[in-house]
Amino acid sequence: MNRTTLTEAEAFFERLTAEQRKLYSIAYSYLRSEADALEAVQEASYRAWVKRKKLKDPQSFTPWLIRITINCCMDELRRKKRVFPVEKPQEGAVQEMKSSERIDLQRALERIKPKYRHVVMLKYYQDMTSVEIAKVMGKPEGTIKTWLREGLKQLRKYM
């Protein structure tokens, strides 16, 4: 491997490493499991490495990486929907789940349209601005503000 390629790889992994904590936080907010979130970040890192030549603007590295991470999370959530338990839980083993505001919020988030859910989660779980979300989603800021307003409206309806 020549020195130029090595330097390119080192630079890529330095930038990737600097974003790992943020990527994990985003993945965890979607998947609600430490193991699944770590796996999603690992998969996103791999996909980013493979597709690194397609990134035209180095200034868009972080939004590009976040978008890849969200796509990995969505792939995992779709995959989990297709998996069915092999055996039925025993009636004695069923535990009563107490409803709380957090559980209600999570259920309401699952019911709103995905594009609205992404915007709401990035805004309130990741504390991102409308401008940052627009870069991640590849949409105009006005569209993001509209989606945020509609997402909150749907959340109120389901709460």
Side-chain angles (χ1 to χ4, degrees):
M1 198 181 251
N2 66 30
R3 185 68 190 148
T4 308
T5 306
L6 188 59
T7 306
E8 175 192 337
E10 287 172 346
F12 176 86
F13 286 111
E14 275 183 25
R15 291 187 76 187
L16 181 65
T17 301
E19 301 296 337
Q20 291 292 305
R21 189 170 250 142
K22 182 187 288 184
L23 299 179
Y24 172 79
S25 177
I26 290 168
Y28 188 84
S29 70
Y30 276 86
L31 301 171
R32 294 284 172 220
S33 158
E34 184 178 342
D36 290 345
L38 288 170
E39 190 173 319
V41 170
Q42 185 176 12
E43 176 65 21
S45 300
Y46 168 75
R47 288 184 190 179
W49 173 252
V50 169
K51 297 180 186 271
R52 70 190 181 282
K53 301 283 188 206
K54 292 186 179 185
L55 178 63
K56 303 292 183 222
D57 178 15
Q59 298 298 321
S60 299
F61 183 77
T62 301
W64 176 71
L65 210 48
I66 291 170
R67 184 78 235 154
I68 292 171
T69 302
I70 290 171
N71 288 338
C72 288
C73 292
M74 297 309 294
D75 290 347
E76 178 64 14
L77 290 171
R78 278 189 291 274
R79 187 188 68 73
K80 282 187 173 199
K81 281 186 178 178
R82 291 191 306 258
V83 175
F84 297 99
V86 178
E87 57 185 62
K88 294 180 183 177
Q90 299 172 359
E91 287 187 33
V94 175
Q95 297 178 358
E96 180 181 339
M97 185 186 334
K98 296 179 182 175
S99 179
S100 70
E101 290 177 10
R102 188 169 182 86
I103 292 170
D104 292 342
L105 177 61
Q106 198 59 37
R107 286 183 182 148
L109 271 170
E110 290 170 5
R111 295 180 70 187
I112 68 175
K113 288 184 177 180
K115 64 183 179 184
Y116 300 153
R117 181 175 46 234
H118 296 314
V119 173
V120 169
M121 289 178 78
L122 291 173
K123 174 75 175 167
Y124 295 105
Y125 282 65
Q126 302 305 316
D127 201 28
M128 293 175 76
T129 65
S130 297
V131 173
E132 292 169 330
I133 297 169
K135 283 184 180 178
V136 169
M137 303 294 288
K139 301 288 182 192
E141 185 181 359
T143 300
I144 297 304
K145 288 179 178 180
T146 300
W147 288 1
L148 183 58
R149 187 176 60 248
E150 288 301 313
L152 292 174
K153 190 168 141 184
Q154 284 188 11
L155 270 179
R156 280 187 214 101
K157 182 173 83 174
Y158 294 128
M159 295 288 288

